[in-house]
């Protein structure tokens, strides 16, 4: 493996802790730069496992995540294994389906399988001769001063914590002063159900993110290559706990998701609802992302987000490419690279976390309102007329454009929406308090995003 221009004259050892999506991709980035990479994962090798433990919510791969995959030559392969979703498909109580495009024509996100993506990235990392994958290796302790880690005693020049929302690497950060950390569990849990094919074909239109918004809860469905849909029910834990029998499951679905019953199947619903309890969702924020020149956090270890903007994986992948760009900028000097990485990434990742929280409210409730649908049409119209000035919110989040453009776009978009929506507001006045509070938070967080 040739060293990249400006690479180290003597190979340094980088230990990547965590063999999930971000850890496996990071191993590729560091190996490509010529570092000796040791990846450590607590679980067994998922490529040989009969049952893959861990989260299984389908993933939405966007432009930001694809750029990181492209950097290590993986974009085309992963894209070929995904299914494009060009719009949300809203399912009303009466069974009516209404599409809401994400942005301009041709724009889409990809539904990808988490386990398959993880396997592909591990295999890609293993193709580098300077990379070693270590499974069934649980980290016991580590030193920020020496880089010594207690598995069986491993020493590294840089430790990269990619070990998830409950990171063992991050525990060392918590022992230090001036480390900010917050963890928030939302009151909703999630449960996964499977919608099988009908006569060998998708039971619903496949190129959509299907949403059943029901105000305080919702269900979504993403397509899979095997012609199934993975349905995820998001609901307050107390609502999950009220349902204790198979008949109560069917009564609940008849009331809120009647069109889904024949597609999932009565027997499957009664069985799968009780297969696993509802799972919790946590949002994690912390700062700084590094200790000295020896350790840095990436992915969920640094910024776990709730899954309602589909940007958790994409933000984690973007961590990898941003870190790589800063490595190039500072000639792989860890003492300069790590503080700069914290400075650049913390505001962006915190903004994504807040927007993900807001988008849950939008997905489960606002998509049903006339005001929301009207605003979407205005956003898309103004974007068509002024594509470089006005950019819809979802597009901004996916691509992370310059914040000056965002500010200008928001100003014009707000003005256009106000003028164009006068008639609708008079006819169907919204609750101003409900609109202004989340909108104010949304815009303030969005403005924090900057070019990475």
């Amino acid at each position: 493996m040739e060293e990249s221009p400006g690479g180290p004259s003597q190979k340094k050892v980088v230990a990547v802790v965590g063999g999930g999506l971000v850890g496996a991709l990071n191993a590729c980035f560091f190996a490509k730069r010529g570092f000796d990479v040791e990846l450590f994962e607590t679980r067994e090798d998922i490529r040989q496992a009969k049952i893959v433990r861990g989260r299984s919510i389908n993933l939405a791969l966007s432009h930001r995540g694809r750029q990181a995959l492209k950097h290590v030559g993986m974009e085309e392969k992963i894209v070929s294994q995904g299914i494009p979703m060009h719009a949300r498909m809203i399912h009303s109580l009466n069974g009516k389906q209404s599409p809401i495009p994400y942005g301009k024509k041709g724009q889409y996100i990809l539904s990808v399988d988490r386990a398959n993506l993880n396997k592909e990235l591990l295999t890609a990392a293993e193709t580098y001769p300077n990379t070693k994958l270590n499974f069934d290796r649980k980290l016991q302790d580590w030193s920020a001063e020496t880089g010594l880690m207690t598995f069986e005693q491993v020493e590294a020049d840089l430790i990269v914590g990619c070990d998830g929302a409950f990171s063992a690497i991050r525990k060392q950060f918590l022992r230090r002063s001036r480390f900010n950390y917050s963890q928030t569990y939302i009151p909703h849990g999630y449960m996964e159900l499977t919608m099988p094919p009908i006569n060998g074909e998708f039971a619903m239109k496949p190129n959509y993110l299907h949403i059943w918004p029901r105000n305080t809860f919702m269900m979504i469905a993403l397509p899979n290559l095997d012609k199934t849909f993975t349905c995820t029910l998001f609901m307050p834990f107390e609502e999950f706990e009220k349902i204790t029998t198979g008949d109560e499951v069917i009564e609940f679905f008849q009331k809120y998701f009647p069109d889904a019953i024949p597609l999932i199947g009565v027997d499957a619903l009664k069985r799968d609802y009780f297969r696993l309890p509802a799972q919790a969702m946590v949002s994690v924020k912390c700062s700084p992302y590094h200790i000295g020149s020896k350790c840095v956090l990436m992915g969920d270890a640094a910024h776990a987000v709730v899954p309602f903007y589909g940007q958790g994986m994409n933000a984690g992948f973007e961590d990898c490419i941003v870190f790589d760009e800063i490595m190039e900028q500072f000639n792989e000097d860890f003492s300069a690279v790590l503080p700069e990485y914290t400075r650049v990434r913390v505001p962006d990742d915190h903004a994504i976390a807040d927007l993900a929280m807001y988008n849950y409210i939008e997905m489960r409730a606002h998509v049903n309102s006339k005001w929301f649908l009207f605003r979407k049409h205005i956003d898309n119209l103004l974007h068509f007329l002024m594509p470089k000035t006005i950019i819809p919110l979802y597009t901004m989040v996916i691509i992370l454009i310059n914040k000056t453009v965002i500010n200008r776009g928001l100003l014009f978009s707000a003005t256009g929406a106000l003028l164009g929506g006068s008639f609708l507001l008079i006819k169907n006045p919204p609750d101003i308090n409900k609109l202004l509070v989340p909108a104010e938070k949304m815009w303030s967080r969005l403005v924090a995003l900057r070019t990475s």
Side-chain angles (χ1 to χ4, degrees):
M1 177 65 61
E2 294 183 2
E3 293 178 358
S4 59
S9 58
Q10 182 178 358
K11 285 186 178 180
K12 293 182 179 180
V13 177
V14 174
V16 177
V17 181
L21 299 173
V22 176
L25 180 61
N26 243 326
C28 295
F29 269 85
F30 284 107
K32 187 179 178 184
R33 278 199 163 269
F35 292 99
D36 282 333
V37 180
E38 292 258 5
L39 182 146
F40 299 92
E41 168 58 42
T42 302
R43 299 173 297 174
E44 63 183 315
D45 187 343
I46 63 171
R47 294 170 297 176
Q48 275 112 47
K50 292 181 180 180
I51 299 175
V52 179
R53 293 171 295 162
R55 292 183 302 167
S56 57
I57 292 179
N58 277 52
L59 299 168
L61 179 65
S62 71
H63 173 82
R64 297 165 60 218
R66 288 175 62 168
Q67 288 300 105
L69 292 172
K70 183 178 181 180
H71 192 82
V72 294
M74 291 292 291
E75 182 188 21
E76 288 186 15
K77 185 169 189 177
I78 299 305
V79 168
S80 70
Q81 298 172 354
I83 298 176
M85 298 183 294
H86 297 278
R88 298 165 172 169
M89 182 66 80
I90 309 304
H91 294 246
S92 65
L93 265 176
N94 63 12
K96 181 183 177 183
Q97 299 183 25
S98 307
I100 302 178
Y102 284 117
K104 61 184 179 182
K105 188 176 181 180
Q107 187 179 62
Y108 62 90
I109 56 177
L110 280 164
S111 173
V112 296
D113 177 80
R114 175 189 292 272
N116 180 67
L117 176 56
N118 203 162
K119 292 174 184 177
E120 293 285 3
L121 290 173
L122 286 170
T123 299
E126 207 167 38
T127 61
Y128 292 89
N130 48 329
T131 296
K132 181 182 178 184
L133 306 184
N134 305 278
F135 297 98
D136 292 310
R137 301 285 294 279
K138 187 173 183 178
L139 178 67
Q140 303 299 323
D141 202 3
W142 63 279
S143 168
E145 286 71 35
T146 65
L148 186 66
M149 297 178 292
T150 308
F151 296 101
E152 297 166 355
Q153 283 210 343
V154 177
E155 193 168 349
D157 296 286
L158 177 67
I159 301 169
V160 186
C162 302
D163 49 341
F166 306 102
S167 169
I169 291 292
R170 197 180 59 231
K171 288 179 182 178
Q172 181 84 248
F173 285 64
L174 292 168
R175 302 173 190 169
R176 295 176 172 260
S177 64
R178 295 192 296 166
F179 177 67
N180 298 304
Y181 173 78
S182 68
Q183 163 182 303
T184 304
Y185 280 96
I186 63 173
H188 298 71
Y190 73 90
M191 175 180 292
E192 290 191 336
L193 304 164
T194 299
M195 185 179 292
I198 295 178
N199 298 323
E201 294 298 328
F202 284 104
M204 303 184 296
K205 294 179 180 179
N207 297 116
Y208 294 90
L209 169 59
H210 292 263
I211 306 176
W212 290 258
R214 299 298 182 260
N215 293 316
T216 59
F217 55 90
M218 69 174 179
M219 187 169 71
I220 67 171
L222 276 74
N224 301 306
L225 286 177
D226 63 0
K227 304 294 180 72
T228 64
F229 279 91
T230 299
C231 303
T232 309
L233 176 61
F234 298 96
M235 192 162 64
F237 278 100
E238 60 264 25
E239 297 299 324
F240 276 115
E241 292 160 2
K242 288 178 182 177
I243 300 172
T244 59
T245 69
D247 288 341
E248 288 175 347
V249 173
I250 302 305
E251 287 176 15
F252 173 78
F253 269 76
Q254 283 175 338
K255 184 174 181 180
Y256 295 109
F257 312 110
D259 61 326
I261 295 177
L263 302 180
I264 298 175
V266 172
D267 292 338
L269 272 174
K270 288 182 175 181
R271 179 188 67 244
D272 294 348
Y273 187 92
F274 300 102
R275 185 177 53 186
L276 289 172
Q279 304 296 299
M281 289 172 285
V282 66
S283 179
V284 170
K285 293 181 184 177
C286 68
S287 178
Y289 286 169
H290 73 286
I291 294 179
S293 62
K294 283 289 184 182
C295 184
V296 64
L297 301 173
M298 296 194 197
D300 283 358
H303 49 79
V305 301
V306 292
F308 305 117
Y309 235 120
Q311 292 301 310
M313 172 191 66
N314 294 294
F317 281 5
E318 193 174 52
D319 288 346
C320 302
I321 198 168
V322 169
F323 193 86
D324 188 75
E325 290 169 352
I326 296 173
M327 291 267 280
E328 189 70 26
Q329 180 184 351
F330 290 96
N331 198 31
E332 298 178 359
D333 177 2
F334 293 152
S335 64
V337 170
L338 270 61
E340 177 67 4
Y341 172 76
T342 283
R343 186 190 71 79
V344 168
R345 288 306 286 166
V346 167
D348 290 358
D349 291 332
H350 286 189
I352 287 292
D354 290 337
L355 283 164
M357 285 287 199
Y358 173 81
N359 203 49
Y360 181 44
I361 300 170
E362 179 174 286
M363 288 177 73
R364 75 183 194 227
H366 293 176
V367 291
N368 276 332
S369 73
K370 293 180 181 178
W371 169 252
F372 172 84
L373 296 173
F374 173 75
R375 197 192 76 205
K376 281 290 182 183
H377 288 306
I378 290 295
D379 286 348
N380 292 333
L381 174 61
L382 292 174
H383 179 51
F384 174 77
L385 296 173
M386 295 175 281
K388 293 183 179 180
T389 303
I390 297 174
I391 301 178
L393 173 61
Y394 198 87
T395 304
M396 286 190 261
V397 173
I398 289 175
I399 299 177
L400 270 185
I401 62 166
N402 185 276
K403 62 182 178 182
T404 303
V405 177
I406 291 176
N407 283 328
R408 188 168 66 245
L410 291 176
L411 175 62
F412 282 108
S413 180
T415 303
L418 181 62
L419 294 173
S422 297
F423 175 75
L424 181 65
L425 284 170
I426 293 170
K427 187 176 180 181
N428 298 293
D431 185 329
I432 296 299
N433 290 326
K434 289 182 180 179
L435 285 172
L436 290 182
V437 174
E440 180 183 355
K441 291 180 179 178
M442 177 178 65
W443 300 138
S444 65
R445 296 306 180 189
L446 186 59
V447 169
L449 296 177
R450 59 188 299 278
T451 302
S452 297

